Protein backbone atom coordinates (compact mmCIF):
# COMPACT_ATOMS: atom_id res chain seq x y z
CA UNK A 1 0.00 0.00 0.00
CA UNK A 2 1.09 3.49 -0.86
CA UNK A 3 1.76 5.36 2.39
CA UNK A 4 1.22 8.83 0.99
CA UNK A 5 -2.14 7.97 -0.50
CA UNK A 6 -3.31 5.51 2.13
CA UNK A 7 -1.89 7.09 5.29
CA UNK A 8 -5.29 6.92 6.96
CA UNK A 9 -5.30 3.14 6.64
CA UNK A 10 -2.03 2.99 8.56
CA UNK A 11 -3.51 5.36 11.13
CA UNK A 12 -6.48 3.00 11.46
CA UNK A 13 -4.18 0.04 12.11
CA UNK A 14 -2.21 1.90 14.78
CA UNK A 15 -5.32 3.26 16.51
CA UNK A 16 -7.08 -0.12 16.52
CA UNK A 17 -4.09 -1.95 17.96
CA UNK A 18 -3.79 0.78 20.60
CA UNK A 19 -7.50 0.39 21.35
CA UNK A 20 -7.38 -3.37 21.71
CA UNK A 21 -4.31 -3.37 23.95
CA UNK A 22 -5.12 -0.31 26.07
CA UNK A 23 -8.78 -1.28 26.12
CA UNK A 24 -7.90 -4.27 28.25
CA UNK A 25 -4.86 -3.01 30.12
CA UNK A 26 -5.77 0.64 30.69
CA UNK A 27 -7.09 1.86 34.01
CA UNK A 28 -10.85 2.24 34.32
CA UNK A 29 -12.95 3.64 37.17
CA UNK A 30 -14.47 0.96 39.43
CA UNK A 31 -18.26 1.09 39.20
CA UNK A 32 -21.02 -1.04 40.71
CA UNK A 33 -22.85 -3.36 38.27
CA UNK A 34 -20.69 -2.21 35.34
CA UNK A 35 -17.44 -3.55 36.78
CA UNK A 36 -15.00 -4.40 33.99
CA UNK A 37 -17.73 -4.24 31.34
CA UNK A 38 -17.09 -0.50 31.30
CA UNK A 39 -14.36 -1.44 28.79
CA UNK A 40 -17.15 -2.24 26.29
CA UNK A 41 -17.23 1.50 25.79
CA UNK A 42 -14.20 1.13 23.52
CA UNK A 43 -15.87 -1.50 21.35
CA UNK A 44 -19.67 -1.14 21.46
CA UNK A 45 -20.01 2.64 21.24
CA UNK A 46 -17.57 3.13 18.29
CA UNK A 47 -19.75 0.77 16.23
CA UNK A 48 -22.50 3.40 16.35
CA UNK A 49 -20.08 6.21 15.57
CA UNK A 50 -18.87 4.16 12.59
CA UNK A 51 -22.42 3.48 11.48
CA UNK A 52 -23.43 7.12 11.71
CA UNK A 53 -20.34 8.22 9.78
CA UNK A 54 -20.98 5.70 7.00
CA UNK A 55 -24.68 6.53 6.78
CA UNK A 56 -23.76 10.21 6.61
CA UNK A 57 -21.41 9.44 3.70
CA UNK A 58 -24.25 7.49 2.14
CA UNK A 59 -26.74 10.36 2.31
CA UNK A 60 -24.16 12.92 1.12
CA UNK A 61 -23.37 10.83 -1.96
CA UNK A 62 -27.10 10.18 -2.45
CA UNK A 63 -27.70 13.93 -2.63
CA UNK A 64 -24.65 14.30 -4.86
CA UNK A 65 -26.14 11.71 -7.20
CA UNK A 66 -29.38 13.66 -7.41
CA UNK A 67 -27.49 16.69 -8.71
CA UNK A 68 -24.77 14.96 -10.75
CA UNK A 69 -26.49 11.80 -12.01
CA UNK A 70 -23.15 9.96 -11.94
CA UNK A 71 -23.33 6.21 -11.37
CA UNK A 72 -20.22 6.40 -9.20
CA UNK A 73 -21.98 8.58 -6.61
CA UNK A 74 -24.77 6.01 -6.43
CA UNK A 75 -22.24 3.21 -5.95
CA UNK A 76 -20.63 5.02 -3.01
CA UNK A 77 -24.04 5.81 -1.48
CA UNK A 78 -25.11 2.17 -1.69
CA UNK A 79 -21.88 0.67 -0.38
CA UNK A 80 -21.70 3.18 2.48
CA UNK A 81 -25.22 2.23 3.55
CA UNK A 82 -24.22 -1.42 3.32
CA UNK A 83 -21.11 -1.05 5.49
CA UNK A 84 -23.00 1.25 7.88
CA UNK A 85 -25.75 -1.30 8.43
CA UNK A 86 -23.12 -3.99 9.05
CA UNK A 87 -21.60 -1.87 11.82
CA UNK A 88 -25.05 -1.09 13.19
CA UNK A 89 -25.88 -4.79 13.46
CA UNK A 90 -22.63 -5.34 15.38
CA UNK A 91 -23.63 -2.45 17.65
CA UNK A 92 -27.02 -4.04 18.31
CA UNK A 93 -25.55 -7.47 19.09
CA UNK A 94 -22.80 -6.14 21.37
CA UNK A 95 -25.27 -3.84 23.10
CA UNK A 96 -27.67 -6.71 23.69
CA UNK A 97 -24.93 -8.85 25.23
CA UNK A 98 -23.80 -5.96 27.42
CA UNK A 99 -27.39 -5.34 28.53
CA UNK A 100 -27.78 -9.00 29.52
CA UNK A 101 -25.04 -8.71 32.14
CA UNK A 102 -25.71 -5.19 33.41
CA UNK A 103 -29.47 -4.67 33.10
CA UNK A 104 -30.27 -8.38 33.32
CA UNK A 105 -32.03 -8.73 29.98
CA UNK A 106 -31.09 -9.14 26.32
CA UNK A 107 -33.64 -6.59 25.23
CA UNK A 108 -35.92 -4.12 26.94
CA UNK A 109 -38.58 -1.74 25.68
CA UNK A 110 -36.27 1.19 25.81
CA UNK A 111 -36.44 4.25 23.54
CA UNK A 112 -32.82 4.04 22.52
CA UNK A 113 -32.84 0.29 21.89
CA UNK A 114 -36.05 0.30 19.89
CA UNK A 115 -34.89 3.41 18.04
CA UNK A 116 -31.69 1.66 17.00
CA UNK A 117 -33.64 -1.42 15.89
CA UNK A 118 -36.11 0.68 13.88
CA UNK A 119 -33.19 2.47 12.23
CA UNK A 120 -31.87 -0.91 11.08
CA UNK A 121 -35.30 -1.79 9.67
CA UNK A 122 -35.48 1.55 7.83
CA UNK A 123 -32.14 0.78 6.19
CA UNK A 124 -33.17 -2.80 5.39
CA UNK A 125 -36.09 -1.21 3.53
CA UNK A 126 -33.52 0.87 1.61
CA UNK A 127 -32.02 -2.33 0.20
CA UNK A 128 -35.45 -3.82 -0.45
CA UNK A 129 -36.31 -0.66 -2.40
CA UNK A 130 -33.10 -0.90 -4.40
CA UNK A 131 -33.72 -4.54 -5.17
CA UNK A 132 -37.26 -3.96 -6.35
CA UNK A 133 -36.53 -1.39 -9.08
CA UNK A 134 -35.16 -2.70 -12.38
CA UNK A 135 -34.19 0.51 -14.11
CA UNK A 136 -30.74 1.61 -12.93
CA UNK A 137 -31.34 5.36 -13.00
CA UNK A 138 -34.76 5.13 -11.43
CA UNK A 139 -33.31 2.85 -8.74
CA UNK A 140 -30.51 5.30 -7.98
CA UNK A 141 -32.82 8.31 -7.87
CA UNK A 142 -35.51 6.66 -5.75
CA UNK A 143 -33.02 5.25 -3.26
CA UNK A 144 -31.19 8.59 -3.00
CA UNK A 145 -34.44 10.34 -2.07
CA UNK A 146 -35.33 7.54 0.32
CA UNK A 147 -31.88 7.68 1.96
CA UNK A 148 -32.43 11.34 2.87
CA UNK A 149 -35.59 10.29 4.70
CA UNK A 150 -33.82 7.30 6.25
CA UNK A 151 -30.91 9.40 7.51
CA UNK A 152 -33.21 11.97 9.11
CA UNK A 153 -35.15 9.14 10.77
CA UNK A 154 -31.88 7.67 12.06
CA UNK A 155 -31.01 11.00 13.69
CA UNK A 156 -34.50 11.24 15.21
CA UNK A 157 -34.58 7.68 16.51
CA UNK A 158 -31.03 7.47 17.85
CA UNK A 159 -30.08 11.02 18.82
CA UNK A 160 -33.28 12.96 19.52
CA UNK A 161 -36.12 10.75 20.81
CA UNK A 162 -34.02 8.91 23.45
CA UNK A 163 -32.99 12.25 24.93
CA UNK A 164 -36.60 13.28 25.42
CA UNK A 165 -37.56 10.26 27.50
CA UNK A 166 -36.12 8.36 30.39
CA UNK A 167 -33.90 5.53 29.27
CA UNK A 168 -31.74 2.88 30.80
CA UNK A 169 -29.16 3.55 28.16
CA UNK A 170 -26.44 6.03 29.16
CA UNK A 171 -26.55 9.50 27.71
CA UNK A 172 -30.34 9.88 27.60
CA UNK A 173 -33.23 11.29 29.59
CA UNK A 174 -32.69 11.36 33.33
CA UNK A 175 -29.71 9.03 33.11
CA UNK A 176 -26.42 10.91 33.28
CA UNK A 177 -24.67 8.03 31.52
CA UNK A 178 -21.07 8.20 30.48
CA UNK A 179 -20.55 11.81 31.42
CA UNK A 180 -17.83 13.40 33.51
CA UNK A 181 -18.61 11.09 36.45
CA UNK A 182 -18.04 7.88 34.55
CA UNK A 183 -15.82 8.74 31.63
CA UNK A 184 -12.66 9.96 33.31
CA UNK A 185 -9.64 11.39 31.55
CA UNK A 186 -7.89 8.01 31.45
CA UNK A 187 -10.81 6.47 29.60
CA UNK A 188 -10.97 9.38 27.20
CA UNK A 189 -7.36 8.67 26.24
CA UNK A 190 -8.54 5.32 24.88
CA UNK A 191 -12.13 6.17 23.92
CA UNK A 192 -11.41 8.95 21.41
CA UNK A 193 -8.67 7.05 19.55
CA UNK A 194 -10.98 4.01 19.58
CA UNK A 195 -13.83 5.97 17.96
CA UNK A 196 -11.52 7.37 15.29
CA UNK A 197 -9.91 3.97 14.67
CA UNK A 198 -13.21 2.15 14.23
CA UNK A 199 -14.60 4.90 12.00
CA UNK A 200 -11.48 4.65 9.81
CA UNK A 201 -11.87 0.86 9.67
CA UNK A 202 -15.46 1.32 8.47
CA UNK A 203 -14.34 3.80 5.82
CA UNK A 204 -11.57 1.41 4.77
CA UNK A 205 -14.10 -1.41 4.27
CA UNK A 206 -16.26 1.06 2.31
CA UNK A 207 -13.21 1.99 0.20
CA UNK A 208 -12.55 -1.66 -0.71
CA UNK A 209 -16.23 -2.39 -1.42
CA UNK A 210 -16.54 0.65 -3.69
CA UNK A 211 -13.42 -0.32 -5.65
CA UNK A 212 -14.68 -3.88 -6.11
CA UNK A 213 -18.04 -2.57 -7.37
CA UNK A 214 -16.28 -0.20 -9.79
CA UNK A 215 -14.31 -3.13 -11.22
CA UNK A 216 -17.55 -5.08 -11.50
CA UNK A 217 -19.19 -2.20 -13.38
CA UNK A 218 -16.18 -1.92 -15.65
CA UNK A 219 -16.32 -5.62 -16.54
CA UNK A 220 -20.08 -5.47 -17.12
CA UNK A 221 -19.63 -2.41 -19.36
CA UNK A 222 -16.88 -4.12 -21.37
CA UNK A 223 -19.01 -7.19 -21.69
CA UNK A 224 -22.07 -5.28 -22.92
CA UNK A 225 -19.81 -3.46 -25.40
CA UNK A 226 -18.55 -6.79 -26.69
CA UNK A 227 -22.11 -8.06 -27.00
CA UNK A 228 -22.99 -5.10 -29.20
CA UNK A 229 -20.08 -5.94 -31.48
CA UNK A 230 -21.08 -9.56 -31.74
CA UNK A 231 -24.74 -8.89 -32.43
CA UNK B 1 21.24 -18.45 72.99
CA UNK B 2 18.79 -21.31 72.83
CA UNK B 3 15.89 -18.87 72.72
CA UNK B 4 17.54 -16.88 69.96
CA UNK B 5 18.18 -20.03 67.95
CA UNK B 6 14.57 -21.20 68.27
CA UNK B 7 13.39 -17.74 67.25
CA UNK B 8 15.62 -17.89 64.20
CA UNK B 9 14.24 -21.31 63.32
CA UNK B 10 10.71 -20.06 63.78
CA UNK B 11 11.34 -17.17 61.44
CA UNK B 12 12.91 -19.42 58.82
CA UNK B 13 10.10 -21.94 59.17
CA UNK B 14 7.40 -19.32 58.93
CA UNK B 15 9.10 -17.91 55.85
CA UNK B 16 9.30 -21.38 54.38
CA UNK B 17 5.69 -22.24 55.12
CA UNK B 18 4.59 -18.89 53.73
CA UNK B 19 6.34 -19.49 50.46
CA UNK B 20 4.81 -22.97 50.34
CA UNK B 21 1.24 -21.80 50.88
CA UNK B 22 1.53 -19.25 48.09
CA UNK B 23 1.88 -20.44 44.51
CA UNK B 24 5.42 -20.57 43.19
CA UNK B 25 6.12 -17.11 41.90
CA UNK B 26 7.73 -16.97 38.50
CA UNK B 27 8.82 -13.94 36.56
CA UNK B 28 6.05 -14.23 34.03
CA UNK B 29 4.22 -11.11 32.93
CA UNK B 30 1.60 -13.15 31.10
CA UNK B 31 0.38 -14.62 34.39
CA UNK B 32 0.10 -11.41 36.41
CA UNK B 33 -3.10 -9.48 37.27
CA UNK B 34 -5.50 -12.32 36.64
CA UNK B 35 -3.83 -13.16 33.29
CA UNK B 36 -5.44 -10.11 31.65
CA UNK B 37 -2.37 -9.78 29.44
CA UNK B 38 -3.34 -13.05 27.78
CA UNK B 39 -6.72 -11.57 26.87
CA UNK B 40 -5.08 -8.41 25.54
CA UNK B 41 -2.73 -10.57 23.47
CA UNK B 42 -5.54 -12.70 22.07
CA UNK B 43 -7.57 -9.61 21.17
CA UNK B 44 -4.49 -8.03 19.57
CA UNK B 45 -3.84 -11.19 17.53
CA UNK B 46 -7.46 -11.23 16.32
CA UNK B 47 -7.20 -7.56 15.40
CA UNK B 48 -3.89 -8.06 13.60
CA UNK B 49 -5.33 -11.06 11.78
CA UNK B 50 -8.38 -9.12 10.61
CA UNK B 51 -6.25 -6.16 9.54
CA UNK B 52 -3.83 -8.41 7.60
CA UNK B 53 -6.85 -10.01 5.93
CA UNK B 54 -8.27 -6.61 4.99
CA UNK B 55 -4.87 -5.48 3.69
CA UNK B 56 -4.59 -8.56 1.43
CA UNK B 57 -8.11 -7.92 0.07
CA UNK B 58 -7.12 -4.29 -0.49
CA UNK B 59 -4.00 -5.34 -2.40
CA UNK B 60 -5.95 -7.83 -4.47
CA UNK B 61 -8.37 -5.10 -5.50
CA UNK B 62 -5.44 -2.80 -6.33
CA UNK B 63 -4.05 -5.55 -8.56
CA UNK B 64 -7.37 -5.91 -10.36
CA UNK B 65 -7.53 -2.13 -10.81
CA UNK B 66 -4.08 -2.11 -12.38
CA UNK B 67 -5.01 -5.03 -14.62
CA UNK B 68 -8.12 -3.28 -15.92
CA UNK B 69 -6.14 -0.08 -16.47
CA UNK B 70 -3.49 -1.87 -18.52
CA UNK B 71 -6.13 -3.71 -20.54
CA UNK B 72 -7.87 -0.42 -21.26
CA UNK B 73 -4.59 0.96 -22.60
CA UNK B 74 -3.83 -2.01 -24.88
CA UNK B 75 -7.33 -2.32 -26.34
Amino acid sequence: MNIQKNWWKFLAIILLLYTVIMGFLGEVPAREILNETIRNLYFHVPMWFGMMTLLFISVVYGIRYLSSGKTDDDIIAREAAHAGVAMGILGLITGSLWARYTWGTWWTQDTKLNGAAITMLIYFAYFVLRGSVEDEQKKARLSAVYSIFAFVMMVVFILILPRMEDSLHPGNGGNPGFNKYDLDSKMRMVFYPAVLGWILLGVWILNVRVRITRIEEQILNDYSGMKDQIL
Amino acid sequence: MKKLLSLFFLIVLSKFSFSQSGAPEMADAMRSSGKIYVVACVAAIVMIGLIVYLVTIDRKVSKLEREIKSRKKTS
Side-chain angles (χ1 to χ4, degrees):
Chain A
M1 282 194 297
N2 186 343
I3 295 187
Q4 256 150 18
K5 203 173 138 201
N6 294 315
W7 58 271
W8 55 278
K9 291 176 184 173
F10 288 91
L11 183 66
I13 293 170
I14 292 163
L15 287 176
L16 285 174
L17 286 178
Y18 171 79
T19 302
V20 163
I21 292 167
M22 285 312 286
F24 287 106
L25 302 182
E27 261 182 74
V28 292
R31 291 278 178 274
E32 292 291 333
I33 301 170
L34 268 178
N35 308 102
E36 293 281 3
T37 69
I38 200 167
R39 295 178 195 276
N40 279 350
L41 185 79
Y42 310 138
F43 304 101
H44 163 72
V45 182
M47 290 301 128
W48 298 106
F49 277 88
M51 182 197 79
M52 282 191 269
T53 309
L54 288 166
L55 294 184
F56 182 68
I57 293 170
S58 171
V59 73
V60 166
Y61 275 90
I63 292 167
R64 263 184 67 159
Y65 174 81
L66 287 177
S67 68
S68 74
K70 277 187 195 151
T71 322
D72 202 52
D73 290 336
D74 182 52
I75 289 173
I76 296 171
R78 182 187 73 198
E79 297 304 332
H82 200 280
V85 167
M87 286 194 106
I89 290 170
L90 286 178
L92 275 184
I93 296 170
T94 53
S96 186
L97 182 69
W98 197 1
R100 174 68 188 79
Y101 294 100
T102 46
W103 304 340
T105 175
W106 295 104
W107 196 267
T108 172
Q109 297 307 321
D110 191 276
T111 332
K112 186 97 165 191
L113 273 61
N114 285 341
I118 292 167
T119 304
M120 289 294 106
L121 292 179
I122 288 172
Y123 272 91
F124 288 161
Y126 171 81
F127 293 109
V128 172
L129 176 70
R130 290 197 69 99
S132 59
V133 182
E134 284 273 337
D135 184 62
E136 288 294 326
Q137 284 181 345
K138 202 187 253 177
K139 175 194 286 187
R141 228 174 324 120
L142 267 176
S143 61
V145 173
Y146 179 83
S147 83
I148 298 171
F149 162 79
F151 185 77
V152 171
M153 280 298 142
M154 189 271 282
V155 173
V156 170
F157 277 119
I158 292 184
L159 299 176
I160 299 172
L161 275 183
R163 280 189 169 74
M164 295 170 69
E165 285 188 50
D166 281 348
S167 168
L168 274 173
H169 196 283
N172 307 306
N175 190 331
F178 286 104
N179 58 15
K180 58 184 179 217
Y181 301 110
D182 292 324
L183 187 60
D184 66 1
S185 56
K186 272 178 194 140
M187 284 193 82
R188 275 175 220 278
M189 290 289 288
V190 185
F191 179 60
Y192 294 140
V195 167
L196 187 60
W198 288 108
I199 286 175
L200 286 177
L201 184 77
V203 176
W204 188 353
I205 292 170
L206 165 66
N207 173 271
V208 172
R209 283 192 66 94
V210 165
R211 282 157 62 205
I212 289 173
T213 316
R214 278 180 191 152
I215 291 169
E216 226 169 55
E217 290 279 312
Q218 202 111 48
I219 290 168
L220 283 175
N221 281 343
D222 291 355
Y223 178 69
S224 63
M226 261 159 55
K227 212 160 64 176
D228 289 342
Q229 284 173 0
I230 295 163
L231 291 174
Chain B
M1 189 63 199
K2 223 177 186 179
K3 262 185 189 170
L4 222 76
L5 212 82
S6 58
L7 190 70
F8 174 76
F9 263 108
L10 257 175
I11 289 169
V12 169
L13 248 166
S14 69
K15 260 267 196 248
F16 191 67
S17 63
F18 180 74
S19 67
Q20 254 190 342
S21 69
E25 269 302 312
M26 308 292 267
D28 193 345
M30 292 291 269
R31 290 183 202 280
S32 60
S33 14
K35 296 180 186 169
I36 187 68
Y37 294 102
V38 180
V39 182
C41 262
V42 167
I45 289 165
V46 169
M47 204 70 234
I48 290 169
L50 285 176
I51 287 168
V52 167
Y53 187 46
L54 188 55
V55 168
T56 50
I57 294 172
D58 195 302
R59 290 169 67 126
K60 211 170 195 170
V61 173
S62 299
K63 216 177 110 192
L64 277 173
E65 280 172 345
R66 277 198 299 275
E67 183 121 344
I68 281 191
K69 224 178 191 174
S70 65
R71 278 193 190 194
K72 273 268 146 70
K73 262 182 203 158
T74 51
S75 64

